[in-house]
Amino acid sequence: MKKFKKALLYAVIFVVLAVVSVVSYVTLALPDVGKPENITVALTPQRIARGQYLANHVCLCIDCHSQRDWSKPIGDIPPGHFGSGGDDIDISEGVPGDIYIPNITPYKLRSWTDGEIFRAITAGERKDGSAIFPLMPWPHFSKMDREDLYAIIAYLRSLPAIKTNPYPKPKLDFPTNIFVHTMPTRAIFGKLPDNSDTAKYGEYLTLMADCDLCHSRKENGKMFGKIIPGLNFAGGVEFQMGNKKIYSANLTPEKQTGIGAWTREAFVERFKSFTDSARLKNKSSKNEASPMPWYDYSGMSETDLKAIYFYLRTIKPVYNKTFNN
């Protein structure tokens, strides 16, 4: 009996040491996606213009990294907050903890090299070597064309520097606070398709815009979580806007609950109808706010919107009736 107890004690000690060793390795040695590239992004007018378009109207970097005034229906960005850091994202939106969206103006990034910014955007590793929870869609950005990524970096460098207080570090719940160290991965870059290949070009834009984040039903019903198999782009993600719940739309070409009955012209017009700021400002009730950043996406070119529509028409139709239908 004594030998059994002794063996059991040794086994417990061995397991504890093994667990401690694994956790120590994961938290101290990872992430490890390699050193930042030694690159210098030239701030050409062409790059800055392309970066401005992508960061504001496709990838929505500025939308996420800015404080919003949600007393306004369109969630205006108040003066002095353009890129200075966004809202706290927490468990109410499906994130396992609290994540504060940082300042990405030159005030914050002045000590970062272009290679460090590039690594953070595409591989999920910060300047200090810590892991970025994929709330920021770096897994998608890692598949972008290098030149588009350089354009975004050039645009961020061109923004006015806005001084802010240090933002709190992410507070992730266990065991995500351990697993997050394993998430960053080396990027496998893509190529910007020619817009004559409408389906491929539309797929590229849809990836950059991270449409599936809000339009793919999750097991927890929230924006962040595990996608229910078969419900990619099928909508049904819940958003709380004031005292009203809104559900994301089904983007598959299913005719009853999706966009199968939409014409290309109606799809484009839906976005372009939000370019008239006067129409938006006529709305004053917070309950009329929409989680969909229509005013940002309305700045996309008609060519790009048509390509997204074309790509969405190629995906599998999924019947998914939401409370909006």
Side-chain angles (χ1 to χ4, degrees), residues 208-229:
M208 283 200 294
D210 201 21
C211 301
D212 63 338
L213 172 66
C214 294
H215 291 274
S216 294
R217 184 89 172 268
K218 315 299 193 303
E219 290 179 350
N220 60 9
K222 305 295 184 180
M223 183 163 52
F224 301 100
K226 186 177 181 181
I227 296 175
I228 299 174

Side-chain angles (χ1 to χ4, degrees), residues 65-139:
H65 287 271
S66 300
Q67 284 287 338
R68 312 298 294 278
D69 181 2
W70 291 110
S71 67
K72 304 289 180 62
I74 60 172
D76 284 338
I77 300 174
H81 290 273
F82 203 72
S84 65
D87 297 316
D88 170 23
I89 309 296
D90 57 24
I91 194 69
S92 66
E93 296 182 81
V95 170
D98 287 312
I99 296 179
Y100 298 83
I101 311 301
N103 184 334
I104 55 171
T105 73
Y107 174 78
K108 173 64 180 178
L109 298 179
R110 65 189 184 282
S111 65
W112 290 51
T113 66
D114 290 341
E116 288 167 341
I117 297 174
F118 186 78
R119 183 179 67 172
I121 293 174
T122 62
E125 185 173 339
R126 297 184 182 88
K127 174 183 172 68
D128 64 5
S130 60
I132 300 175
F133 184 75
L135 168 65
M136 185 182 84
W138 54 261

Side-chain angles (χ1 to χ4, degrees), residues 189-246:
F189 302 106
K191 284 289 185 182
L192 175 64
D194 191 282
N195 60 18
S196 63
D197 188 346
T198 312
K200 284 291 184 184
Y201 184 60
E203 182 180 18
Y204 179 81
L205 292 168
T206 302
L207 181 76
M208 283 200 294
D210 201 21
C211 301
D212 63 338
L213 172 66
C214 294
H215 291 274
S216 294
R217 184 89 172 268
K218 315 299 193 303
E219 290 179 350
N220 60 9
K222 305 295 184 180
M223 183 163 52
F224 301 100
K226 186 177 181 181
I227 296 175
I228 299 174
L231 291 184
N232 294 72
F233 296 104
V237 176
E238 177 188 302
F239 295 88
Q240 187 74 40
M241 303 299 294
N243 59 7
K244 182 179 180 181
K245 289 183 179 180
I246 297 176

